[in-house]
Amino acid sequence: MIALLFGVMYFMMIRPQQKRRREAEAMQSALAPGDEVVTIGGLYGTVTGVDDDTVLLEVAPGVQTRYARPAIARVVSQAERPAEPAAEDADAVKE
C-alpha cells in the first residue's frame, strides 16, 4: 500500500514538476536579443544582451536592466531568427 502511495505521488507531483523545470530551463537557454519577455516580478522588457548567467533587458527606451536568467518567467514573442539550412542543404553546399 505504501509503495502504491509513493508511486502515485511520483506520477502526480514529482514527474510534472521535473517536466516544468526542464521546459523553463530550455526556454531560458534559448533567449536571444529581440525576444520580448516577462520577468517573475511581472516586468515586461526586450532582451538586448545575453550572458551565461544574466540577461540584459530594455524596459523603456534607453533604460536597460540586468536580470538573472532564472528570473525570466516566459517569452511573450520571439525575435525573427534566420532559418538554418537543413542537413541535406548543408551537404549540397559542401559539394
Side-chain angles (χ1 to χ4, degrees):
M1 187 65 154
I2 292 176
L4 180 64
L5 179 63
F6 282 117
V8 169
M9 284 181 56
Y10 174 77
F11 284 106
M12 298 294 287
M13 296 174 63
I14 297 170
R15 194 163 178 226
Q17 179 63 30
Q18 289 175 342
K19 182 181 176 188
R20 282 191 296 269
R21 184 177 44 85
R22 279 193 301 268
E23 289 172 352
E25 287 175 357
M27 179 268 306
Q28 291 164 356
S29 67
L31 290 174
D35 291 348
E36 292 182 33
V37 297
V38 178
T39 65
I40 57 175
L43 183 71
Y44 284 77
T46 303
V47 176
T48 58
V50 179
D51 283 339
D52 290 337
D53 297 328
T54 61
V55 176
L56 194 62
L57 295 182
E58 183 173 19
V59 295
V63 179
Q64 294 185 349
T65 56
R66 186 171 44 171
Y67 288 90
R69 276 185 187 247
I72 306 300
R74 65 184 169 100
V75 176
V76 177
S77 65
Q78 288 188 337
E80 300 256 343
R81 293 183 176 83
E84 294 183 16
E88 297 168 356
D89 295 339
D91 291 338
V93 172
K94 290 180 184 177
E95 295 174 1

Coordinates of all heavy atoms in Angstrom, one line a residue:
M1 N 0.8 -1.2 0.0 CA 0.0 0.0 0.0 C 0.9 1.3 0.0 O 0.6 2.2 -0.7 CB -0.9 0.0 1.2 CG -1.9 1.1 1.3 SD -3.0 0.8 -0.1 CE -4.4 1.6 0.5
I2 N 2.0 1.3 0.8 CA 2.8 2.4 0.9 C 3.5 2.6 -0.5 O 3.7 3.8 -0.9 CB 3.8 2.3 2.0 CG1 3.1 2.3 3.4 CG2 4.9 3.3 2.0 CD1 3.9 2.1 4.6
A3 N 4.0 1.5 -1.1 CA 4.6 1.6 -2.4 C 3.7 2.2 -3.4 O 4.1 3.0 -4.3 CB 5.1 0.3 -2.9
L4 N 2.4 1.9 -3.4 CA 1.4 2.4 -4.3 C 1.2 3.9 -4.0 O 1.2 4.7 -5.0 CB 0.1 1.7 -4.1 CG -1.1 2.2 -5.0 CD1 -0.7 1.9 -6.5 CD2 -2.4 1.5 -4.6
L5 N 1.3 4.3 -2.8 CA 1.1 5.7 -2.4 C 2.3 6.5 -3.0 O 2.2 7.6 -3.6 CB 1.1 5.9 -0.9 CG 1.0 7.4 -0.4 CD1 -0.3 8.0 -0.9 CD2 1.0 7.4 1.1
F6 N 3.6 6.0 -2.8 CA 4.7 6.7 -3.4 C 4.7 6.7 -4.9 O 5.1 7.7 -5.5 CB 6.0 6.0 -2.9 CG 6.4 6.3 -1.5 CD1 6.4 5.4 -0.5 CD2 6.7 7.7 -1.2 CE1 6.8 5.7 0.8 CE2 7.1 8.0 0.1 CZ 7.1 7.0 1.1
G7 N 4.2 5.6 -5.5 CA 4.1 5.6 -7.0 C 3.1 6.7 -7.5 O 3.4 7.4 -8.4
V8 N 2.0 6.8 -6.8 CA 1.0 7.9 -7.2 C 1.6 9.3 -6.9 O 1.4 10.1 -7.8 CB -0.3 7.7 -6.4 CG1 -1.2 8.9 -6.5 CG2 -1.0 6.4 -6.8
M9 N 2.3 9.5 -5.8 CA 2.9 10.8 -5.6 C 3.9 11.1 -6.6 O 4.0 12.2 -7.1 CB 3.6 10.8 -4.2 CG 2.6 10.9 -3.1 SD 3.4 11.0 -1.5 CE 4.5 12.3 -1.6
Y10 N 4.7 10.1 -7.1 CA 5.7 10.3 -8.1 C 5.0 10.8 -9.4 O 5.5 11.8 -10.0 CB 6.5 9.1 -8.4 CG 7.5 9.2 -9.5 CD1 8.7 9.9 -9.4 CD2 7.2 8.7 -10.8 CE1 9.6 10.1 -10.4 CE2 8.1 8.8 -11.8 CZ 9.3 9.5 -11.7 OH 10.1 9.7 -12.7
F11 N 4.0 10.1 -9.9 CA 3.4 10.4 -11.1 C 2.5 11.7 -11.1 O 2.2 12.3 -12.1 CB 2.6 9.3 -11.7 CG 3.5 8.2 -12.3 CD1 3.7 7.0 -11.6 CD2 4.1 8.4 -13.5 CE1 4.5 6.1 -12.2 CE2 4.9 7.5 -14.1 CZ 5.2 6.3 -13.4
M12 N 2.0 12.0 -9.9 CA 1.1 13.2 -9.7 C 1.8 14.5 -9.3 O 1.4 15.6 -9.7 CB 0.0 12.9 -8.7 CG -0.9 11.7 -9.1 SD -1.9 12.1 -10.5 CE -3.0 13.2 -9.9
M13 N 3.0 14.4 -8.7 CA 3.7 15.6 -8.2 C 5.1 15.7 -8.7 O 5.4 16.8 -9.2 CB 3.7 15.5 -6.6 CG 2.3 15.6 -6.0 SD 2.3 15.4 -4.3 CE 3.2 16.8 -3.7
I14 N 5.9 14.7 -8.5 CA 7.3 14.9 -8.8 C 7.6 14.9 -10.3 O 8.3 15.8 -10.8 CB 8.1 13.7 -8.2 CG1 8.0 13.8 -6.7 CG2 9.6 13.8 -8.6 CD1 8.5 12.6 -5.9
R15 N 7.0 14.0 -11.1 CA 7.3 14.0 -12.5 C 6.8 15.3 -13.2 O 7.6 15.8 -14.1 CB 6.6 12.7 -13.1 CG 7.1 12.4 -14.5 CD 6.8 11.0 -14.8 NE 7.2 10.7 -16.2 CZ 6.4 10.1 -17.0 NH1 5.2 9.7 -16.7 NH2 6.9 9.9 -18.2
P16 N 5.6 15.8 -13.0 CA 5.2 17.0 -13.6 C 6.1 18.2 -13.3 O 6.4 19.1 -14.1 CB 3.8 17.2 -13.2 CG 3.3 15.9 -12.8 CD 4.5 15.2 -12.3
Q17 N 6.6 18.3 -12.0 CA 7.4 19.3 -11.6 C 8.8 19.3 -12.4 O 9.3 20.3 -12.8 CB 7.7 19.3 -10.1 CG 8.6 20.4 -9.6 CD 8.0 21.8 -9.8 OE1 6.8 22.0 -9.8 NE2 8.9 22.7 -10.0
Q18 N 9.3 18.1 -12.6 CA 10.5 18.0 -13.3 C 10.3 18.4 -14.8 O 11.2 19.0 -15.4 CB 11.0 16.5 -13.3 CG 11.5 16.1 -11.9 CD 11.9 14.6 -11.9 OE1 11.4 13.8 -12.7 NE2 12.7 14.2 -10.9
K19 N 9.2 18.1 -15.3 CA 8.9 18.5 -16.7 C 8.8 20.0 -16.8 O 9.4 20.6 -17.8 CB 7.6 17.8 -17.2 CG 7.2 18.1 -18.6 CD 5.9 17.5 -19.0 CE 5.6 17.9 -20.4 NZ 4.2 17.5 -20.8
R20 N 8.2 20.6 -15.9 CA 8.1 22.1 -15.9 C 9.5 22.7 -15.8 O 9.8 23.7 -16.4 CB 7.1 22.6 -14.8 CG 5.7 22.5 -15.2 CD 4.8 23.2 -14.2 NE 4.9 22.7 -12.8 CZ 4.1 21.7 -12.3 NH1 3.2 21.2 -13.1 NH2 4.3 21.3 -11.1
R21 N 10.3 22.2 -14.9 CA 11.6 22.7 -14.7 C 12.5 22.6 -16.0 O 13.2 23.5 -16.4 CB 12.3 22.0 -13.6 CG 13.7 22.5 -13.2 CD 14.3 21.8 -12.0 NE 14.2 20.4 -12.0 CZ 15.0 19.6 -12.6 NH1 16.0 20.0 -13.3 NH2 14.9 18.3 -12.6
R22 N 12.4 21.4 -16.7 CA 13.1 21.2 -17.9 C 12.6 22.2 -19.0 O 13.5 22.8 -19.7 CB 13.0 19.8 -18.4 CG 13.9 18.8 -17.7 CD 13.9 17.5 -18.5 NE 12.6 16.8 -18.6 CZ 12.1 16.0 -17.7 NH1 12.8 15.6 -16.6 NH2 10.9 15.5 -17.8
E23 N 11.3 22.4 -19.1 CA 10.8 23.4 -20.1 C 11.3 24.8 -19.8 O 11.6 25.5 -20.7 CB 9.3 23.3 -20.1 CG 8.7 22.1 -20.7 CD 7.2 21.9 -20.5 OE1 6.6 22.8 -19.8 OE2 6.6 21.0 -21.1
A24 N 11.3 25.2 -18.5 CA 11.8 26.5 -18.1 C 13.2 26.7 -18.5 O 13.7 27.7 -19.0 CB 11.5 26.8 -16.6
E25 N 14.1 25.7 -18.2 CA 15.5 25.8 -18.5 C 15.7 25.9 -20.0 O 16.6 26.6 -20.5 CB 16.2 24.6 -17.9 CG 16.4 24.6 -16.4 CD 17.0 23.3 -15.9 OE1 17.3 22.4 -16.6 OE2 17.2 23.3 -14.6
A26 N 14.9 25.1 -20.8 CA 15.1 25.2 -22.2 C 14.7 26.6 -22.8 O 15.3 27.1 -23.6 CB 14.2 24.1 -22.9
M27 N 13.6 27.1 -22.2 CA 13.2 28.5 -22.6 C 14.2 29.5 -22.3 O 14.6 30.4 -23.1 CB 11.8 28.8 -22.0 CG 11.3 30.2 -22.3 SD 11.8 31.5 -21.2 CE 11.3 31.0 -19.6
Q28 N 14.8 29.4 -21.1 CA 15.8 30.4 -20.6 C 17.1 30.2 -21.4 O 17.8 31.2 -21.7 CB 16.0 30.2 -19.1 CG 14.9 30.7 -18.3 CD 14.9 30.2 -16.9 OE1 15.8 29.5 -16.5 NE2 13.9 30.6 -16.1
S29 N 17.4 29.0 -21.8 CA 18.7 28.9 -22.6 C 18.5 29.3 -24.1 O 19.5 29.6 -24.7 CB 19.2 27.4 -22.5 OG 18.3 26.6 -23.2
A30 N 17.3 29.4 -24.5 CA 17.0 29.8 -25.9 C 16.8 31.3 -26.1 O 16.5 31.7 -27.2 CB 15.8 29.0 -26.4
L31 N 16.9 32.1 -25.0 CA 16.7 33.5 -25.1 C 17.8 34.1 -26.1 O 18.9 33.8 -26.1 CB 16.9 34.2 -23.7 CG 15.8 33.9 -22.7 CD1 16.1 34.5 -21.4 CD2 14.4 34.4 -23.2
A32 N 17.3 35.1 -26.8 CA 18.2 35.8 -27.8 C 17.8 37.2 -27.9 O 16.6 37.6 -27.5 CB 18.1 35.1 -29.2
P33 N 18.7 38.1 -28.3 CA 18.3 39.5 -28.4 C 17.1 39.7 -29.3 O 17.0 39.1 -30.4 CB 19.6 40.2 -29.0 CG 20.7 39.3 -28.6 CD 20.1 37.9 -28.6
G34 N 16.2 40.6 -28.9 CA 15.0 40.9 -29.7 C 13.8 40.2 -29.1 O 12.6 40.5 -29.4
D35 N 13.9 39.2 -28.2 CA 12.8 38.5 -27.6 C 12.1 39.4 -26.6 O 12.8 40.1 -25.9 CB 13.2 37.2 -26.9 CG 13.7 36.1 -27.8 OD1 13.5 36.3 -29.0 OD2 14.3 35.2 -27.3
E36 N 10.8 39.4 -26.6 CA 10.1 40.1 -25.6 C 9.7 39.2 -24.5 O 9.1 38.1 -24.8 CB 8.8 40.8 -26.2 CG 9.1 41.9 -27.2 CD 7.8 42.5 -27.7 OE1 6.8 42.6 -26.9 OE2 7.8 42.9 -28.9
V37 N 10.0 39.5 -23.2 CA 9.9 38.6 -22.1 C 9.2 39.2 -20.9 O 9.0 40.5 -20.9 CB 11.2 38.0 -21.6 CG1 11.9 37.2 -22.7 CG2 12.1 39.1 -21.2
V38 N 8.7 38.4 -20.0 CA 8.2 38.9 -18.7 C 9.0 38.2 -17.6 O 9.3 37.0 -17.7 CB 6.7 38.4 -18.6 CG1 6.1 38.8 -17.3 CG2 5.8 38.9 -19.7
T39 N 9.4 39.0 -16.6 CA 10.1 38.5 -15.5 C 9.2 37.9 -14.5 O 8.0 38.1 -14.6 CB 11.0 39.6 -14.8 OG1 10.1 40.6 -14.3 CG2 11.9 40.3 -15.8
I40 N 9.7 37.2 -13.5 CA 8.9 36.7 -12.4 C 8.2 37.8 -11.6 O 7.2 37.5 -11.0 CB 9.7 35.7 -11.5 CG1 10.9 36.4 -10.9 CG2 10.1 34.5 -12.3 CD1 11.6 35.6 -9.9
G41 N 8.7 39.0 -11.7 CA 8.1 40.1 -11.0 C 7.0 40.8 -11.8 O 6.4 41.7 -11.3
G42 N 6.8 40.4 -13.0 CA 5.8 41.0 -13.9 C 6.3 42.1 -14.8 O 5.5 42.8 -15.4
L43 N 7.6 42.3 -14.9 CA 8.2 43.4 -15.7 C 8.3 42.9 -17.1 O 8.9 41.9 -17.4 CB 9.5 43.8 -15.1 CG 10.2 45.0 -15.8 CD1 9.5 46.3 -15.5 CD2 11.6 45.1 -15.4
Y44 N 7.8 43.7 -18.0 CA 7.9 43.4 -19.5 C 9.2 44.1 -20.0 O 9.4 45.2 -19.6 CB 6.7 43.8 -20.3 CG 5.5 43.0 -20.1 CD1 4.7 43.0 -18.9 CD2 5.1 42.1 -21.1 CE1 3.6 42.2 -18.8 CE2 4.0 41.3 -20.9 CZ 3.2 41.4 -19.8 OH 2.1 40.6 -19.6
G45 N 9.9 43.4 -20.9 CA 11.0 44.0 -21.5 C 11.5 43.3 -22.7 O 11.0 42.2 -23.0
T46 N 12.4 43.8 -23.4 CA 13.0 43.3 -24.6 C 14.5 42.9 -24.4 O 15.2 43.7 -23.9 CB 12.9 44.2 -25.8 OG1 11.6 44.6 -26.0 CG2 13.4 43.6 -27.1
V47 N 14.8 41.7 -24.7 CA 16.2 41.2 -24.5 C 17.1 41.9 -25.4 O 16.9 42.0 -26.6 CB 16.3 39.7 -24.7 CG1 17.7 39.2 -24.6 CG2 15.4 38.9 -23.8
T48 N 18.2 42.6 -24.9 CA 19.2 43.3 -25.7 C 20.5 42.6 -25.6 O 21.3 42.8 -26.5 CB 19.3 44.7 -25.3 OG1 19.7 44.8 -23.9 CG2 18.0 45.5 -25.5
G49 N 20.7 41.8 -24.6 CA 22.0 41.1 -24.5 C 21.9 39.8 -23.6 O 21.0 39.8 -22.7
V50 N 22.7 38.8 -23.9 CA 22.6 37.6 -23.1 C 24.0 37.1 -22.8 O 24.9 37.1 -23.6 CB 21.9 36.5 -24.0 CG1 21.9 35.2 -23.2 CG2 20.5 36.9 -24.4
D51 N 24.2 36.8 -21.5 CA 25.5 36.3 -21.0 C 25.2 34.8 -20.5 O 24.1 34.4 -20.7 CB 26.1 37.1 -19.8 CG 26.7 38.4 -20.3 OD1 27.1 38.4 -21.5 OD2 26.9 39.3 -19.5
D52 N 26.2 34.2 -19.9 CA 26.0 32.9 -19.4 C 24.9 32.8 -18.3 O 24.1 32.0 -18.3 CB 27.3 32.3 -18.8 CG 28.3 32.0 -19.9 OD1 27.9 31.8 -21.1 OD2 29.5 32.0 -19.6
D53 N 25.0 33.8 -17.3 CA 24.1 33.8 -16.2 C 23.1 34.9 -16.2 O 22.2 34.9 -15.4 CB 24.9 33.8 -14.9 CG 25.8 32.6 -14.8 OD1 25.4 31.5 -15.2 OD2 26.9 32.7 -14.2
T54 N 23.3 35.9 -17.0 CA 22.4 37.1 -16.9 C 21.8 37.4 -18.3 O 22.3 37.0 -19.3 CB 23.2 38.3 -16.5 OG1 24.3 38.6 -17.4 CG2 23.8 38.1 -15.1
V55 N 20.8 38.2 -18.2 CA 20.1 38.7 -19.4 C 19.9 40.2 -19.3 O 19.5 40.7 -18.2 CB 18.7 38.1 -19.6 CG1 17.9 38.6 -20.7 CG2 18.8 36.6 -19.7
L56 N 20.2 41.0 -20.3 CA 20.1 42.4 -20.3 C 18.8 42.8 -21.0 O 18.5 42.4 -22.1 CB 21.2 43.1 -21.0 CG 21.4 44.6 -20.8 CD1 21.7 44.9 -19.4 CD2 22.6 45.0 -21.7
L57 N 17.9 43.4 -20.2 CA 16.5 43.8 -20.7 C 16.4 45.3 -20.9 O 16.9 46.1 -20.1 CB 15.4 43.4 -19.8 CG 15.2 41.9 -19.5 CD1 14.1 41.7 -18.6 CD2 15.0 41.1 -20.8
E58 N 15.8 45.7 -22.0 CA 15.4 47.1 -22.2 C 14.0 47.2 -21.8 O 13.1 46.7 -22.4 CB 15.6 47.5 -23.6 CG 15.3 49.0 -23.8 CD 15.7 49.5 -25.2 OE1 15.8 48.7 -26.1 OE2 15.9 50.7 -25.4
V59 N 13.7 48.0 -20.7 CA 12.3 48.1 -20.2 C 11.7 49.3 -20.6 O 10.4 49.5 -20.5 CB 12.3 48.0 -18.6 CG1 12.8 46.6 -18.2 CG2 13.2 49.0 -18.0
A60 N 12.4 50.3 -21.1 CA 11.9 51.6 -21.6 C 13.0 52.1 -22.6 O 14.2 51.6 -22.5 CB 11.7 52.6 -20.5
P61 N 12.7 52.9 -23.5 CA 13.7 53.4 -24.4 C 14.9 54.0 -23.7 O 14.7 54.9 -22.9 CB 13.0 54.5 -25.2 CG 11.5 54.1 -25.2 CD 11.3 53.5 -23.8
G62 N 16.0 53.4 -23.9 CA 17.3 53.9 -23.2 C 17.5 53.4 -21.8 O 18.5 53.7 -21.2
V63 N 16.5 52.6 -21.2 CA 16.7 52.1 -19.9 C 16.9 50.6 -19.9 O 16.0 49.8 -20.4 CB 15.4 52.4 -19.0 CG1 15.5 51.8 -17.7 CG2 15.1 53.9 -19.0
Q64 N 18.1 50.1 -19.5 CA 18.4 48.7 -19.6 C 18.7 48.2 -18.2 O 19.3 48.9 -17.4 CB 19.6 48.5 -20.5 CG 19.4 48.8 -21.9 CD 20.5 48.4 -22.8 OE1 21.6 48.1 -22.3 NE2 20.3 48.4 -24.1
T65 N 18.2 47.0 -17.8 CA 18.4 46.4 -16.5 C 18.9 45.0 -16.8 O 18.7 44.4 -17.8 CB 17.1 46.4 -15.7 OG1 16.1 45.7 -16.5 CG2 16.6 47.8 -15.4
R66 N 19.6 44.5 -15.8 CA 20.2 43.2 -15.9 C 19.5 42.2 -14.9 O 19.3 42.6 -13.7 CB 21.7 43.3 -15.5 CG 22.4 42.0 -15.7 CD 23.9 42.1 -15.6 NE 24.3 42.9 -14.5 CZ 25.5 43.1 -14.0 NH1 26.5 42.5 -14.6 NH2 25.7 43.8 -12.9
Y67 N 19.2 41.1 -15.4 CA 18.5 40.1 -14.6 C 19.2 38.7 -14.7 O 19.8 38.4 -15.7 CB 17.0 39.9 -15.1 CG 16.1 41.1 -14.7 CD1 16.0 42.1 -15.6 CD2 15.4 41.1 -13.6 CE1 15.2 43.2 -15.3 CE2 14.6 42.2 -13.2 CZ 14.5 43.2 -14.1 OH 13.7 44.3 -13.8
A68 N 19.0 37.9 -13.7 CA 19.5 36.5 -13.8 C 18.6 35.8 -14.7 O 17.4 36.0 -14.8 CB 19.5 35.9 -12.4
R69 N 19.1 34.8 -15.4 CA 18.3 34.0 -16.4 C 17.1 33.4 -15.7 O 16.0 33.4 -16.3 CB 19.1 32.9 -17.1 CG 19.9 33.5 -18.3 CD 20.6 32.3 -18.9 NE 21.4 32.7 -20.0 CZ 21.2 32.5 -21.3 NH1 20.2 31.8 -21.6 NH2 22.0 33.0 -22.2
P70 N 17.2 32.8 -14.5 CA 16.0 32.2 -13.9 C 14.9 33.2 -13.6 O 13.8 32.8 -13.3 CB 16.6 31.5 -12.7 CG 18.0 31.3 -12.9 CD 18.4 32.4 -13.8
A71 N 15.2 34.5 -13.6 CA 14.2 35.5 -13.3 C 13.2 35.7 -14.5 O 12.2 36.4 -14.4 CB 14.8 36.8 -12.9
I72 N 13.5 35.1 -15.6 CA 12.6 35.2 -16.8 C 11.6 34.2 -16.7 O 11.8 33.0 -16.7 CB 13.4 35.1 -18.1 CG1 14.6 36.0 -18.2 CG2 12.5 35.3 -19.3 CD1 14.2 37.5 -18.1
A73 N 10.3 34.6 -16.6 CA 9.2 33.7 -16.4 C 8.7 33.1 -17.7 O 8.4 31.9 -17.8 CB 8.0 34.4 -15.7
R74 N 8.6 34.0 -18.8 CA 8.1 33.5 -20.0 C 8.5 34.4 -21.2 O 8.8 35.6 -20.9 CB 6.6 33.2 -20.0 CG 5.8 34.5 -19.9 CD 4.3 34.1 -19.8 NE 3.5 35.3 -19.3 CZ 2.8 36.1 -20.2 NH1 2.8 35.8 -21.4 NH2 2.2 37.1 -19.7
V75 N 8.4 33.9 -22.4 CA 8.7 34.7 -23.6 C 7.4 35.1 -24.2 O 6.5 34.2 -24.5 CB 9.6 33.9 -24.6 CG1 9.8 34.7 -25.9 CG2 10.9 33.5 -24.0
V76 N 7.1 36.4 -24.3 CA 5.9 36.9 -24.9 C 5.9 36.7 -26.4 O 5.0 36.2 -27.0 CB 5.7 38.4 -24.5 CG1 4.4 38.9 -25.2 CG2 5.6 38.5 -23.0
S77 N 7.0 37.1 -27.1 CA 7.2 36.9 -28.5 C 8.7 36.8 -28.8 O 9.5 37.5 -28.2 CB 6.6 38.1 -29.3 OG 7.3 39.3 -29.0
Q78 N 9.0 35.9 -29.7 CA 10.4 35.7 -30.1 C 10.7 36.6 -31.3 O 9.9 36.9 -32.2 CB 10.6 34.3 -30.5 CG 10.6 33.3 -29.3 CD 11.0 31.9 -29.7 OE1 11.0 31.5 -30.8 NE2 11.5 31.2 -28.7
A79 N 12.0 37.0 -31.3 CA 12.5 37.8 -32.5 C 12.6 36.9 -33.7 O 12.8 35.7 -33.6 CB 13.9 38.4 -32.1
E80 N 12.6 37.5 -34.8 CA 12.8 36.7 -36.1 C 14.2 36.3 -36.1 O 15.1 37.0 -35.9 CB 12.5 37.6 -37.3 CG 11.1 38.2 -37.3 CD 10.2 37.5 -38.3 OE1 10.8 36.8 -39.2 OE2 9.0 37.6 -38.2
R81 N 14.4 35.0 -36.3 CA 15.7 34.4 -36.5 C 15.9 33.9 -37.9 O 15.0 33.3 -38.4 CB 15.9 33.3 -35.4 CG 15.9 33.9 -34.0 CD 16.1 32.8 -33.0 NE 16.2 33.3 -31.7 CZ 15.2 33.5 -30.9 NH1 14.0 33.4 -31.3 NH2 15.4 34.0 -29.7
P82 N 17.1 34.0 -38.4 CA 17.3 33.4 -39.8 C 17.1 31.9 -39.7 O 17.6 31.3 -38.8 CB 18.7 33.8 -40.1 CG 19.4 34.2 -38.8 CD 18.3 34.6 -37.9
A83 N 16.5 31.4 -40.7 CA 16.3 29.9 -40.8 C 17.6 29.3 -41.1 O 18.4 29.7 -41.9 CB 15.3 29.6 -41.9
E84 N 17.9 28.2 -40.3 CA 19.1 27.4 -40.5 C 18.9 26.4 -41.7 O 17.8 25.8 -41.8 CB 19.5 26.7 -39.3 CG 19.9 27.6 -38.1 CD 20.3 26.8 -36.9 OE1 20.6 25.6 -37.0 OE2 20.3 27.4 -35.8
P85 N 19.9 26.3 -42.6 CA 19.7 25.3 -43.7 C 19.6 23.9 -43.1 O 20.2 23.5 -42.1 CB 20.9 25.5 -44.5 CG 21.9 26.1 -43.6 CD 21.2 26.9 -42.6
A86 N 18.8 23.1 -43.8 CA 18.6 21.7 -43.4 C 19.9 20.9 -43.6 O 20.8 21.4 -44.3 CB 17.5 21.1 -44.2
A87 N 20.0 19.8 -43.0 CA 21.2 19.0 -43.1 C 21.5 18.6 -44.6 O 22.6 18.6 -45.0 CB 21.1 17.7 -42.3
E88 N 20.4 18.3 -45.3 CA 20.6 18.0 -46.7 C 21.2 19.2 -47.5 O 22.0 19.0 -48.4 CB 19.3 17.5 -47.3 CG 18.7 16.3 -46.7 CD 17.2 16.1 -47.1 OE1 16.7 16.9 -47.8 OE2 16.7 15.1 -46.6
D89 N 20.7 20.4 -47.2 CA 21.1 21.6 -47.9 C 22.6 21.8 -47.6 O 23.4 22.3 -48.4 CB 20.3 22.8 -47.6 CG 18.8 22.6 -48.1 OD1 18.6 21.8 -49.0 OD2 18.0 23.3 -47.5
A90 N 23.0 21.6 -46.3 CA 24.4 21.8 -45.9 C 25.3 20.9 -46.7 O 26.4 21.3 -47.0 CB 24.5 21.7 -44.4
D91 N 24.9 19.6 -46.8 CA 25.7 18.7 -47.6 C 25.9 19.1 -49.0 O 26.9 19.0 -49.6 CB 25.1 17.3 -47.5 CG 25.3 16.7 -46.1 OD1 26.1 17.2 -45.3 OD2 24.5 15.8 -45.7
A92 N 24.8 19.6 -49.6 CA 24.8 20.0 -51.0 C 25.7 21.2 -51.2 O 26.4 21.3 -52.2 CB 23.4 20.4 -51.5
V93 N 25.8 22.1 -50.2 CA 26.6 23.3 -50.3 C 28.1 22.9 -50.2 O 29.0 23.5 -50.9 CB 26.3 24.3 -49.2 CG1 27.3 25.4 -49.1 CG2 24.9 24.8 -49.4
K94 N 28.4 21.9 -49.4 CA 29.8 21.5 -49.3 C 30.4 20.9 -50.5 O 31.6 20.9 -50.8 CB 29.9 20.5 -48.1 CG 29.7 21.1 -46.8 CD 29.8 20.0 -45.7 CE 29.5 20.6 -44.3 NZ 29.6 19.6 -43.3
E95 N 29.5 20.2 -51.3 CA 30.0 19.5 -52.5 C 30.2 20.5 -53.6 O 30.5 21.3 -54.0 CB 29.0 18.5 -53.0 CG 28.8 17.4 -52.0 CD 27.7 16.4 -52.3 OE1 27.1 16.6 -53.4 OE2 27.5 15.5 -51.6

